[in-house]
Amino acid sequence: MRKVLAALLALLVLSSCSFGEDKKEESPPAPPDLSAPPAPVAVRQGPFASGPVKAPRRGALVGAWIKPDALTHVGRLAAVDSLQADLGRRLSIVNTYRRFEQMVGTPSDKEFLARGATLMVSWATGDNRSILDGEHDELIRKQAKAIRKIKAPVLLRMRWEMDRPNLRATMWSGADYVAAWKYVRKIFQEERATNVSWVWCPTAEGFIRGDAPGFYPGDDQVDWTCVDVYAGERFEPIGDLMGPFLRWAAQRPKPIVIGEFGVAKAWGSAGRAAWLKDAGRTFKANPQIKAIAYFESDPEGNGPNKQFQLTGDKAAFRAFHRLVRDPYFNP
């Protein structure tokens, strides 16, 4: 009997030890290996019909949004000039944001165009259903005339990131957005604003969730496909973050512009530099990507996971500098 009890006691001890091991906390996941080559994605090789803003046959154009100290003519020029001086090259694309009622063709717009840059206008149009009700026809016609008047090819991102959940109150649905897109484009055609390349630009997260494709207006309506992709809340290789978008875009005969990309300061200088190095390799591995634009800004009120300015971060800026000086990004 004593031997039986001893054996039972040993089993209980073993089982309790095993149970305790099962309850141990798992080790935190290892950071992603950003030194590995980017995963290949089947992409179209081109050439691509891209509207008035022509996609380079080889390589990709480089641009940026640079937040100025003041949203004035002088402030905008100074911000772009400062970054260009630090990079030792001119930007091929200057991204600029406009509210619905703000017209294209400001003095700084004209100055950038005179220097040979292409404007990428990120236009925050309003409520899609009010657009379809005709409430903003006069404003839309005014913008079409303003863009026509500058007589230079323009990349127009009509309500970029339309798939964001926090915009659903004004976007309503994918069907509403598509109808509004076609409505606005028809007005531009009526006003003979033929110098516009229409850029459809959702978020990388929208493709991860799966709802972004529902906002696509159609191949006959879009000149460039686009995606905004950030290592903000999630520090993953850029190829993983925008992989679902790239697989979707490969089915369409359109060039791609990375409308905004950035890596947050929260990930540290070394991490940011590694992410940017990997981004450069990923862009070059996907020849459908014909333009990229960094988001050089620390938006006010955002936490550390949404601060993306590279200036002042020596290691990260050095990595970006190497990227933009690569001959591939100077087609």
Side-chain angles (χ1 to χ4, degrees):
M1 178 63 72
R2 288 180 179 178
K3 290 182 179 180
V4 173
L5 290 173
L8 289 172
L9 180 60
L11 285 172
L12 287 171
V13 171
L14 286 171
S15 64
S16 65
C17 289
S18 175
F19 180 75
E21 289 172 356
D22 290 342
K23 296 296 284 183
K24 286 180 181 177
E25 292 184 2
E26 296 182 359
S27 299
D33 181 7
L34 299 179
S35 64
V41 176
V43 295
R44 293 175 180 265
Q45 298 294 321
F48 302 100
S50 54
V53 179
K54 304 303 181 185
R57 294 186 67 85
R58 184 184 179 280
L61 305 171
V62 168
W65 154 253
I66 309 99
K67 184 181 178 183
D69 291 335
L71 292 171
T72 62
H73 170 66
V74 173
R76 292 176 189 274
L77 292 181
V80 172
D81 287 346
S82 177
L83 181 61
Q84 290 183 150
D86 290 341
L87 293 175
R89 60 158 291 174
R90 289 194 178 276
L91 297 173
S92 299
I93 296 172
V94 174
N95 185 15
T96 180
Y97 294 91
R98 300 296 154 89
R99 296 192 301 271
F100 201 2
E101 73 280 3
Q102 289 180 315
M103 296 296 107
V104 177
T106 64
S108 57
D109 291 344
K110 293 175 181 177
E111 181 64 26
F112 295 137
L113 292 168
R115 296 176 179 183
T118 295
L119 284 181
M120 182 164 68
V121 179
S122 301
W123 189 27
T125 52
D127 183 288
N128 285 327
R129 293 188 179 178
S130 67
I131 289 174
L132 293 169
D133 286 341
E135 295 180 20
H136 308 288
D137 284 8
E138 183 178 350
L139 175 59
I140 296 167
R141 290 189 186 280
K142 185 178 178 182
Q143 185 70 283
K145 292 175 183 177
I147 292 177
R148 183 190 70 198
K149 189 176 180 180
I150 67 175
K151 298 179 181 180
V154 171
L155 292 164
L156 181 62
R157 296 202 302 166
M158 176 177 155
R159 189 50 274 178
W160 74 102
E161 298 186 1
M162 76 304 294
D163 58 307
R164 287 190 343 230
N166 68 335
L167 290 179
R168 202 53 51 87
T170 53
M171 296 298 97
W172 294 89
S173 69
D176 288 297
Y177 177 80
V178 168
W181 174 290
K182 293 178 178 179
Y183 187 93
V184 170
R185 183 164 183 176
K186 184 174 183 293
I187 292 176
F188 270 62
Q189 290 171 339
E190 291 170 355
E191 296 298 335
R192 305 185 309 284
T194 57
N195 55 324
V196 173
S197 280
W198 293 82
V199 181
W200 180 71
C201 201
T203 65
E205 291 86 352
F207 277 88
I208 294 171
R209 291 192 307 267
D211 55 9
F215 291 83
Y216 186 59
D219 290 349
D220 63 327
Q221 293 287 319
V222 173
D223 296 311
W224 291 66
T225 58
C226 174
V227 72
D228 288 355
V229 55
Y230 289 94
E233 302 291 340
R234 300 169 60 172
F235 187 68
E236 297 177 22
I238 194 170
D240 291 351
L241 291 170
M242 65 179 179
F245 164 77
L246 290 176
R247 289 188 286 274
W248 175 91
Q251 307 305 312
R252 280 148 187 88
K254 308 291 177 183
I256 294 169
V257 52
I258 308 302
E260 301 172 15
F261 74 103
V263 57
K265 292 180 176 179
W267 301 112
S269 292
R272 300 178 85 198
W275 193 88
L276 288 164
K277 181 179 179 181
D278 174 68
R281 293 185 303 170
T282 302
F283 297 150
K284 293 172 70 172
N286 292 275
Q288 195 173 359
I289 298 173
K290 295 298 182 183
I292 61 172
Y294 192 81
F295 188 79
E296 176 66 356
S297 177
D298 289 341
E300 293 180 10
N302 283 3
N305 285 332
K306 294 183 180 179
Q307 302 290 327
F308 302 104
Q309 190 175 57
L310 297 173
T311 301
D313 184 332
K314 291 183 179 180
F317 192 88
R318 191 180 305 118
F320 184 62
H321 183 263
R322 283 195 293 266
L323 188 160
V324 303
R325 294 299 296 264
D326 186 317
Y328 186 86
F329 298 104
N330 289 270

